[in-house]
Amino acid sequence: MTTKPRTRLVIVNRADPVICGHSVEGRNLAEAALERGFDEVRIVTWPMDRLEATGLPLKPLDRMLPYSEGIIVERPEPVGDYKVPDGRWLAGITGRLVELFTDGVPTVCLSLYLSPHTIAVTDAVRAAWSTGLPVNVTTIAEAVGSDVTNVVRSCVEEGRFGAAAHILSSYLAQDHCVAVSEYTRDLIVAAASEIDAFRGTRFADQCRERIRISYPAIDTSQYLDLDPDLVDGVLAARGLERDGYVFFLSRLTKAKGVDDLIAGFERTPANARLKLVIAGRGPDAAWFQRLAAASPLADRIVFLDDVDDAEKPYLMAGCAAYVLPSKPRPEFVETFGIALAEQMLAGGGAVVTTETGGIGEAVGDHAFIVPVDDPDAIAAAIDRALALPAEERAARAERARAYALQFDRMAVFDRLFDAAGVLPARQPA
């Protein structure tokens, strides 16, 4: 007979294999929940075929890291047939949440991305209460940033009051509202203020009062104390050597500034001895590859589309410099910069980036900052990073690592769940 869990955490997000820092964050919070005493953790997410059909960049399916025992990944099937064009998959997720909220187990439900996940949680809670069954659920909604820049912001700009009100009211209906950075919080308040001015609503004051900051959760143990021999072995398997390449790893979209990086790499004298390694997948991958193929340094630019979570720390640790020249675009603004914090944890070369969005919160004073759309500045920053004396480079790396340790998944989890008052009682060892 299966024993019913005493406490459960449900995480609703776009989980692995989606290439997104917040899919990894969901994994990290799930793992932390087990260590902090939750008996059961469920990640409720989208069916694999649906993820593939969206065109989202996905990790290699055969190389995903396994979850710990006790973490259950659910991918509910759609409800209805072709006559329900898009709502079928969301109905599957919402329906499964109703079942989890009404089975008698005290549950904390964390949603990442306001649309559609927090909206689904709001609908599920309402439906659960309407059943007349006992409901014991606490909800936490995390605004990750692109759900604001891509959805709420566009609603405001297009005058689509109803859609924006739907998202914000669902967010504020949660027991606890958090954002992944001060920048994201300010962005939400600004959008809410515009809606209030336009329609006389009162979203902004509620957002100012209720939204707390919860930075993304990173498994820092993946990046610390890496075996130098393993680093060299991973690099050798890729035809690379330590300090022999400038590194980019993120989604391949125009907002990430890969075009500026390629142009900057062309302008640094170091390109005579270094490679440029561009790792990731995304909607603009082919465009960047064509740009690189037309470069006079085409033979020194390498694209990797199969880097998994296990290999990533070693590639970061071995690079001469890590460059993420992100820039604001209508479809996306970097609201934190998880990969930047991961690079600082791994060590290796210095970080070169911009002050776009919430990047400053991710890197503090521990990166070379360049203007957006400025390949000359990127080249100069790479040169400065490479010119650092060994002792200064090591000292900078240690300071950067110390700063990034605040994003350790256990510390983030404890701050978030303690503030929400939902940490389970610790069981005796």
Side-chain angles (χ1 to χ4, degrees), residues 23 34 41 52 70 88 109 112 126 149 151 167 173 231-232 245 247 318 326 336 342 375-376 383 418:
S23 69
L34 288 183
V41 181
E52 292 171 339
R88 294 182 288 159
C109 183
L112 285 77
R126 176 188 52 76
T149 58
V151 181
I167 295 169
V231 174
D232 292 337
Y245 58 99
F247 193 42
S326 190
F336 182 73
E342 291 171 337
D376 287 331
D383 292 340
D418 184 55

Side-chain angles (χ1 to χ4, degrees), residues 232-304:
D232 292 337
V234 169
L235 299 186
R238 292 289 192 177
L240 302 172
E241 58 185 29
R242 192 184 293 265
D243 291 336
Y245 58 99
V246 173
F247 193 42
F248 168 96
L249 185 148
S250 191
R251 285 182 299 113
L252 296 183
T253 66
K254 292 178 182 177
K256 298 291 184 173
V258 179
D259 51 338
D260 297 328
L261 172 55
I262 292 171
F265 183 68
E266 292 173 352
R267 301 175 195 189
T268 170
N271 62 35
R273 64 180 180 84
L274 299 178
K275 294 180 179 179
L276 172 59
V277 177
I278 299 170
R281 297 182 180 186
D284 296 317
W287 187 76
F288 291 134
Q289 288 166 357
R290 288 193 297 271
L291 196 65
S295 168
L297 298 174
D299 62 334
R300 306 197 64 77
I301 303 175
V302 179
F303 283 84
L304 303 177

Side-chain angles (χ1 to χ4, degrees), residues 397-415:
E398 281 305 310
R399 292 193 298 270
R401 180 176 290 114
Y403 179 86
L405 282 171
Q406 67 178 299
F407 309 125
D408 177 75
R409 68 187 185 187
M410 300 309 300
V412 170
F413 183 92
D414 287 347
R415 288 193 295 266

Side-chain angles (χ1 to χ4, degrees), residues 183-361:
Y183 173 81
T184 302
R185 179 182 181 276
D186 292 345
L187 200 64
I188 297 170
V189 171
S193 297
E194 288 191 47
I195 295 169
D196 291 351
F198 178 56
R199 295 301 293 263
T201 51
R202 52 184 184 86
F203 289 123
D205 286 343
Q206 296 178 74
C207 290
R208 288 190 191 94
E209 180 180 343
R210 297 198 54 211
I211 300 173
R212 294 183 297 105
I213 306 306
S214 180
Y215 288 123
I218 299 172
D219 180 7
T220 59
S221 67
Q222 282 190 295
Y223 300 89
L224 305 178
D225 301 320
L226 298 177
D227 185 331
D229 291 336
L230 281 178
V231 174
D232 292 337
V234 169
L235 299 186
R238 292 289 192 177
L240 302 172
E241 58 185 29
R242 192 184 293 265
D243 291 336
Y245 58 99
V246 173
F247 193 42
F248 168 96
L249 185 148
S250 191
R251 285 182 299 113
L252 296 183
T253 66
K254 292 178 182 177
K256 298 291 184 173
V258 179
D259 51 338
D260 297 328
L261 172 55
I262 292 171
F265 183 68
E266 292 173 352
R267 301 175 195 189
T268 170
N271 62 35
R273 64 180 180 84
L274 299 178
K275 294 180 179 179
L276 172 59
V277 177
I278 299 170
R281 297 182 180 186
D284 296 317
W287 187 76
F288 291 134
Q289 288 166 357
R290 288 193 297 271
L291 196 65
S295 168
L297 298 174
D299 62 334
R300 306 197 64 77
I301 303 175
V302 179
F303 283 84
L304 303 177
D305 67 357
D306 60 346
V307 174
D308 58 28
D309 290 333
E311 185 182 21
K312 176 171 64 173
Y314 297 95
L315 292 173
M316 287 179 162
C319 70
Y322 176 88
V323 187
L324 179 66
S326 190
K327 49 190 171 184
R329 287 180 59 91
E331 74 277 8
F332 179 80
V333 178
E334 201 84 59
T335 53
F336 182 73
I338 294 174
L340 295 163
E342 291 171 337
Q343 173 66 39
M344 294 194 301
L345 290 164
V351 168
V352 177
T353 189
T354 65
E355 287 188 316
T356 299
I359 283 178
E361 295 172 69

